């Protein structure tokens, strides 16, 4: 057996003592934001409702304020953060494989295949909004960048963050006008919008049904419509760009050695806030003008630039969140407070899947049937209550077990053998049993 093969076979899951607490905390924080986003937009049915119905629920001053805060501080920021952490995690695994003198490809490929399987089940059996399958597929693309230079990675990040969000919307807006004329292009856009609204309405109707079978059939139909769309392809390109930013950060130990990068984090915090406020502020102003009837997107030809502006805003605020957590985590008091989220982050896969199951029970017609009924404030409050319960659940579980249930399954299938689950107790120097 060659050295490379023997090194690969010695690969194992990371022990608790080898984990980076800051990354677990950030992952727990990101999971909270993703849950709020999924509940606010999808589980509650908000993006599936007719525009007038959604606006009516958000019309009272409190609801309007909650919606504004959500779109400014939460929407797309935590998906960005989660994708960044996925890329950074790959970078760490790559360095550990190199330390063993092995290739990261075999183990990481098996890891992605298992994640893809879990994601496909989640996507088809539970919820069409699954991200696990997308992350797994893009993870294989990430392997292609492992030996590329920083310059190459930055070029691809630029394509993802600036070029694609500018060029593609411009082509989609001006192309039909140049080919078919302004009126024909406007009619086609309205027809497409009507078809999308009909598809969303059909899913909402299915989710309101008290039949689980009807709900799943509606989910499957929506999945067939959603998967082949250009919007999903663009979203995957955006996600890949965030993966690459995480890979770059991992290469330069940005979060593994925060103390050495304090000055860099302070700059990132400042510039991230500036770009975040400008990008998200622009989006908020445009949305306000549209709701007030002062802006017609079909006639405002500059609107194709909005996607790129918002992308910069999403990345800016997400970057400021990372920098703020990194700097605060260096202070003992803040480390204790923020550390409450670490077990949630260690069980991110389990908690993500659990959030879906609980949300379906709360919102779908065969459960409590809250879909399409809750205003923004109540939706956020309900989501916060569920997440707060996940914190002691995660602490309690990890006080007895090495991994969350889904993480244990993921690791066992990846390494081809059943992983030890229960923590072993050992005597401590004080005579009180400790955990190993």
């Amino acid at each position: 057996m060659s050295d490379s093969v023997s090194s690969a076979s010695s690969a194992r899951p990371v022990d608790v003592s080898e984990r980076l607490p800051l990354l677990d905390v950030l992952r727990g924080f990101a999971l909270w934001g993703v849950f709020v986003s999924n509940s606010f937009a999808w589980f509650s049915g908000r993006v599936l409702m007719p525009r007038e119905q959604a606006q009516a629920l958000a019309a009272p001053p409190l609801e309007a304020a909650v919606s504004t805060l959500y779109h400014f501080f939460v929407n797309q920021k935590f998906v960005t953060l989660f994708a960044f952490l996925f890329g950074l995690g790959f970078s760490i695994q790559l360095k550990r494989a190199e330390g063993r003198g092995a290739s990261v490809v075999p183990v990481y490929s098996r890891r992605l295949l298992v994640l893809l399987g879990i994601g496909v089940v989640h996507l088809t059996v539970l919820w069409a909004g699954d991200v696990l399958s997308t992350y797994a597929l893009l993870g294989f693309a990430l392997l292609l960048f492992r030996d590329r230079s920083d310059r190459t990675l930055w070029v691809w990040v630029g394509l993802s963050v600036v070029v694609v969000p500018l060029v593609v919307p411009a082509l989609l807006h001006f192309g039909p006008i140049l080919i078919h004329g302004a009126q024909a292009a406007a009619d086609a856009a309205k027809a497409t919008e009507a078809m999308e609204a009909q598809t969303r309405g059909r899913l909402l109707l299915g989710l309101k049904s008290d039949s689980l079978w009807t709900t799943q059939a509606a989910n499957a139909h929506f999945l067939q419509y959603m998967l082949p769309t250009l919007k999903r392809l663009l979203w995957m390109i955006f996600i890949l760009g965030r993966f690459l930013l995480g890979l770059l950060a991992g290469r330069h130990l940005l979060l593994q050695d925060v103390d050495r990068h304090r000055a860099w984090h302070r700059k990132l915090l400042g510039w991230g806030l500036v770009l975040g406020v400008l990008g998200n502020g622009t989006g908020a102003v445009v949305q306000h003008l549209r709701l007030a009837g002062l802006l017609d997107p079909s006639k405002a030809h500059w609107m194709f630039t909005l996607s790129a502006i918002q992308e910069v805003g999403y990345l800016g605020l997400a970057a400021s969140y990372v920098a703020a957590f990194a700097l605060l985590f260096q202070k003992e008091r803040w480390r204790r407070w923020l550390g409450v989220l670490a077990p949630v982050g260690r069980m991110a896969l389990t908690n993500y899947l659990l959030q879906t199951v609980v949300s379906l029970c709360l919102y779908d017609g065969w459960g409590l049937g809250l879909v399409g009924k809750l205003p923004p404030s109540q939706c956020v409050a309900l989501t916060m209550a569920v997440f707060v319960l996940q914190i002691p659940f995660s602490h309690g579980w990890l006080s007895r077990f090495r991994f969350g249930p889904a993480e244990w399954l993921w690791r066992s299938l990846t390494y081809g053998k059943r992983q030890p689950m229960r923590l072993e107790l050992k005597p401590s120097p004080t005579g009180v049993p400790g955990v190993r």
Side-chain angles (χ1 to χ4, degrees):
M1 181 180 289
S2 66
D3 291 340
S4 61
V5 174
S6 61
S7 298
S9 64
S10 65
R12 59 174 176 77
V14 175
D15 191 73
V16 175
S17 61
E18 299 175 278
R19 299 187 68 90
L20 298 173
L22 174 58
L23 297 189
D24 286 329
V25 167
L26 275 171
R27 198 171 286 112
F29 178 58
L31 189 66
W32 166 80
V34 168
F35 188 25
V36 172
S37 295
N38 290 339
S39 299
F40 189 97
W42 288 99
F43 292 131
S44 69
R46 198 168 316 280
V47 298
L48 305 176
M49 301 176 196
R51 183 174 299 175
E52 296 76 14
Q53 183 182 350
Q55 290 175 357
L57 283 173
L62 172 62
E63 308 308 332
V66 171
S67 294
T68 300
L69 291 172
Y70 163 77
H71 286 291
F72 196 97
F73 291 105
V74 178
N75 184 38
Q76 296 299 318
K77 286 75 177 178
F78 289 88
V79 172
T80 295
L81 178 54
F82 219 94
F84 168 83
L85 292 171
F86 191 93
L88 193 146
F90 169 73
S91 178
I92 292 174
Q93 292 181 55
L94 179 60
K95 286 182 179 295
R96 285 173 174 157
E98 291 173 347
R100 298 193 307 269
S103 169
V104 74
V105 176
V107 172
Y108 198 72
S109 296
R110 292 198 299 271
R111 180 180 175 85
L112 291 175
L113 284 173
V114 175
L115 183 63
L116 179 60
I118 295 173
V120 168
V121 172
H122 184 230
L123 181 73
T124 56
V125 176
L126 294 177
W127 180 47
D130 167 77
V131 298
L132 302 176
S133 53
T134 300
Y135 277 31
L137 290 173
L138 291 177
F140 286 105
L142 194 57
L143 285 170
L144 302 177
F145 291 93
R146 67 188 187 280
D147 296 323
R148 302 294 182 180
S149 66
D150 286 0
R151 182 177 181 179
T152 299
L153 296 187
W154 278 116
V155 168
W156 280 89
V157 169
L159 288 172
S160 169
V161 175
V162 179
V163 177
V164 170
L166 272 177
V167 173
V168 174
L171 291 175
L172 292 176
H173 178 75
F174 292 108
I177 294 176
L178 294 174
I179 296 173
H180 303 293
Q183 186 58 50
D187 292 342
K190 288 181 180 179
T192 300
E193 186 177 346
M195 183 182 68
E196 290 178 352
Q198 183 181 21
T199 303
R200 291 193 299 268
R202 187 178 300 176
L203 175 59
L204 180 61
L205 188 62
L207 295 179
K208 290 181 176 181
S209 171
D210 59 3
S211 166
L212 178 61
W213 173 254
T214 301
T215 297
Q216 293 310 106
N219 187 76
H221 182 272
F222 184 77
L223 197 61
Q224 293 175 355
Y225 162 78
M226 181 185 67
L227 288 180
T229 60
L230 179 60
K231 286 183 180 179
R232 186 170 181 84
L233 177 61
L234 290 177
W235 180 70
M236 292 177 71
I237 293 174
F238 298 159
I239 293 295
L240 179 60
R242 288 146 174 75
F243 279 8
L244 296 179
L245 284 172
L247 177 56
L248 282 163
R251 276 186 182 179
H252 296 281
L253 307 179
L254 188 64
L255 293 177
Q256 299 96 311
D257 189 359
V258 176
D259 194 54
R260 186 160 63 91
H261 295 93
R262 281 178 186 266
W264 206 98
H265 279 290
R266 292 191 183 101
K267 293 179 181 179
L268 184 63
L269 176 61
W271 281 107
L273 286 173
V274 170
L275 295 175
V277 169
L278 291 175
N280 291 286
T282 301
V285 170
V286 170
Q287 179 69 5
H288 176 75
L289 293 175
R290 290 182 64 179
L291 292 177
L294 301 175
L295 177 65
D296 185 352
S298 64
K299 296 180 180 179
H301 296 298
W302 54 267
M303 282 284 289
F304 78 90
T305 65
L306 187 61
S307 178
I309 294 172
Q310 288 180 313
E311 278 298 304
V312 172
Y314 300 153
L315 285 171
L317 271 190
S320 68
Y321 294 162
V322 170
F325 266 68
L327 292 171
L328 289 174
F329 205 72
Q330 303 311 300
K331 303 178 185 296
E332 181 61 32
R333 178 182 298 179
W334 278 100
R335 189 180 301 119
R336 289 199 303 270
W337 280 99
L338 297 176
V340 171
L341 293 173
V344 181
R346 284 176 55 192
M347 290 175 53
L349 179 59
T350 294
N351 282 314
Y352 173 72
L353 297 174
L354 187 59
Q355 287 168 1
T356 297
V357 173
V358 171
S359 296
L360 296 183
C361 292
L362 290 173
Y363 288 101
D364 284 3
W366 52 265
L368 294 184
L370 298 178
V371 64
K373 297 179 180 178
L374 295 186
S377 62
Q378 293 182 24
C379 175
V380 172
L382 183 59
T383 303
M384 290 289 290
V386 173
F387 185 80
V388 166
L389 291 176
Q390 287 190 300
I391 296 175
F393 165 71
S394 301
H395 279 260
W397 183 275
L398 291 177
S399 68
R400 297 170 176 267
F401 304 102
R402 297 176 182 274
F403 315 110
E407 286 76 11
W408 174 83
L409 177 65
W410 190 7
R411 284 161 173 77
S412 295
L413 293 177
T414 295
Y415 294 98
K417 60 180 180 180
R418 183 187 180 92
Q419 297 295 312
M421 185 64 161
R422 285 191 172 274
L423 289 169
E424 299 175 12
L425 297 179
K426 67 173 183 178
S428 69
T430 60
V432 179
V435 175
R436 180 171 56 192

